Short mmCIF file of all heavy atoms in Angstrom, two decimals:
data_model
loop_
_atom_site.label_atom_id
_atom_site.label_comp_id
_atom_site.label_asym_id
_atom_site.label_seq_id
_atom_site.Cartn_x
_atom_site.Cartn_y
_atom_site.Cartn_z
N PRO A 344 89.03 79.88 198.12
CA PRO A 344 88.09 80.91 197.67
C PRO A 344 86.68 80.72 198.21
O PRO A 344 85.75 81.38 197.76
CB PRO A 344 88.10 80.70 196.16
CG PRO A 344 88.19 79.20 196.03
CD PRO A 344 89.11 78.76 197.15
N TYR A 345 86.50 79.82 199.18
CA TYR A 345 85.16 79.40 199.56
C TYR A 345 84.38 80.49 200.29
O TYR A 345 83.14 80.46 200.30
CB TYR A 345 85.24 78.11 200.39
CG TYR A 345 85.93 77.02 199.63
CD1 TYR A 345 87.29 76.76 199.81
CD2 TYR A 345 85.25 76.28 198.67
CE1 TYR A 345 87.94 75.78 199.08
CE2 TYR A 345 85.89 75.30 197.94
CZ TYR A 345 87.24 75.06 198.13
OH TYR A 345 87.87 74.11 197.39
N PHE A 346 85.08 81.46 200.87
CA PHE A 346 84.36 82.54 201.55
C PHE A 346 83.51 83.33 200.56
O PHE A 346 82.46 83.88 200.93
CB PHE A 346 85.35 83.47 202.28
CG PHE A 346 86.18 84.32 201.38
CD1 PHE A 346 85.74 85.58 200.99
CD2 PHE A 346 87.41 83.88 200.92
CE1 PHE A 346 86.52 86.38 200.17
CE2 PHE A 346 88.19 84.67 200.09
CZ PHE A 346 87.75 85.92 199.71
N ILE A 347 83.94 83.36 199.30
CA ILE A 347 83.18 84.10 198.29
C ILE A 347 81.83 83.45 198.05
O ILE A 347 80.82 84.12 197.82
CB ILE A 347 83.98 84.18 196.98
CG1 ILE A 347 85.28 84.97 197.19
CG2 ILE A 347 83.15 84.81 195.85
CD1 ILE A 347 86.20 84.98 196.01
N PHE A 348 81.78 82.12 198.13
CA PHE A 348 80.55 81.39 197.83
C PHE A 348 79.51 81.53 198.94
O PHE A 348 78.38 81.08 198.80
CB PHE A 348 80.86 79.91 197.61
CG PHE A 348 81.95 79.66 196.61
CD1 PHE A 348 82.81 78.59 196.75
CD2 PHE A 348 82.13 80.51 195.52
CE1 PHE A 348 83.83 78.36 195.83
CE2 PHE A 348 83.14 80.30 194.60
CZ PHE A 348 83.99 79.23 194.75
N GLN A 349 79.91 82.15 200.07
CA GLN A 349 78.96 82.37 201.16
C GLN A 349 78.13 83.63 200.95
O GLN A 349 77.18 83.88 201.69
CB GLN A 349 79.71 82.45 202.49
CG GLN A 349 80.43 81.15 202.85
CD GLN A 349 81.20 81.26 204.15
OE1 GLN A 349 81.20 82.29 204.82
NE2 GLN A 349 81.88 80.18 204.52
N LEU A 350 78.50 84.45 199.96
CA LEU A 350 77.73 85.65 199.67
C LEU A 350 76.34 85.27 199.18
O LEU A 350 76.17 84.24 198.51
CB LEU A 350 78.43 86.48 198.60
CG LEU A 350 79.81 87.05 198.96
CD1 LEU A 350 80.44 87.71 197.72
CD2 LEU A 350 79.70 88.05 200.09
N PRO A 351 75.32 86.06 199.48
CA PRO A 351 73.98 85.78 198.96
C PRO A 351 74.01 85.69 197.44
O PRO A 351 74.61 86.53 196.76
CB PRO A 351 73.16 86.98 199.44
CG PRO A 351 73.90 87.50 200.62
CD PRO A 351 75.36 87.27 200.33
N ILE A 352 73.38 84.68 196.89
CA ILE A 352 73.42 84.47 195.45
C ILE A 352 72.76 85.62 194.70
O ILE A 352 73.08 85.90 193.53
CB ILE A 352 72.78 83.12 195.07
CG1 ILE A 352 73.23 82.69 193.67
CG2 ILE A 352 71.26 83.19 195.18
CD1 ILE A 352 72.90 81.25 193.34
N SER A 353 71.87 86.35 195.39
CA SER A 353 71.20 87.48 194.74
C SER A 353 72.20 88.56 194.34
O SER A 353 71.94 89.34 193.41
CB SER A 353 70.15 88.08 195.68
OG SER A 353 70.74 88.54 196.88
N GLN A 354 73.34 88.62 195.00
CA GLN A 354 74.35 89.62 194.65
C GLN A 354 74.96 89.36 193.27
O GLN A 354 75.52 90.26 192.64
CB GLN A 354 75.46 89.65 195.70
CG GLN A 354 75.02 90.24 197.03
CD GLN A 354 76.19 90.47 197.97
OE1 GLN A 354 77.34 90.48 197.57
NE2 GLN A 354 75.88 90.68 199.24
N LEU A 355 74.84 88.12 192.80
CA LEU A 355 75.37 87.77 191.48
C LEU A 355 74.35 87.98 190.37
O LEU A 355 74.71 87.98 189.19
CB LEU A 355 75.82 86.31 191.47
CG LEU A 355 76.86 85.89 192.51
CD1 LEU A 355 77.13 84.40 192.40
CD2 LEU A 355 78.14 86.68 192.34
N PHE A 356 73.08 88.15 190.75
CA PHE A 356 72.00 88.21 189.76
C PHE A 356 71.15 89.47 189.91
O PHE A 356 69.91 89.42 189.87
CB PHE A 356 71.12 86.96 189.85
CG PHE A 356 71.84 85.70 189.46
CD1 PHE A 356 72.32 84.83 190.42
CD2 PHE A 356 72.03 85.39 188.11
CE1 PHE A 356 72.98 83.66 190.05
CE2 PHE A 356 72.69 84.21 187.74
CZ PHE A 356 73.18 83.35 188.72
N GLY A 357 71.81 90.58 190.13
CA GLY A 357 71.10 91.86 190.15
C GLY A 357 70.07 91.99 191.22
O GLY A 357 69.03 92.63 191.03
N GLY A 358 70.32 91.38 192.37
CA GLY A 358 69.39 91.48 193.48
C GLY A 358 68.22 90.51 193.42
O GLY A 358 67.33 90.56 194.27
N GLN A 359 68.23 89.62 192.44
CA GLN A 359 67.14 88.66 192.29
C GLN A 359 67.54 87.29 192.83
O GLN A 359 68.70 86.88 192.71
CB GLN A 359 66.75 88.52 190.80
CG GLN A 359 66.41 89.82 190.14
CD GLN A 359 65.24 90.51 190.83
OE1 GLN A 359 64.19 89.92 191.02
NE2 GLN A 359 65.44 91.76 191.23
N GLU A 360 66.60 86.60 193.44
CA GLU A 360 66.85 85.26 193.94
C GLU A 360 66.77 84.26 192.79
O GLU A 360 65.82 84.28 192.00
CB GLU A 360 65.84 84.89 195.03
CG GLU A 360 66.03 85.65 196.33
CD GLU A 360 67.36 85.35 196.99
OE1 GLU A 360 67.86 84.21 196.83
OE2 GLU A 360 67.91 86.25 197.66
#
Side-chain angles (χ1 to χ4, degrees):
Y345 302 97
F346 71 90
I347 297 174
F348 309 146
Q349 297 178 2
L350 296 173
I352 199 167
S353 60
Q354 289 190 16
L355 304 177
F356 294 101
Q359 305 301 307
E360 290 296 330

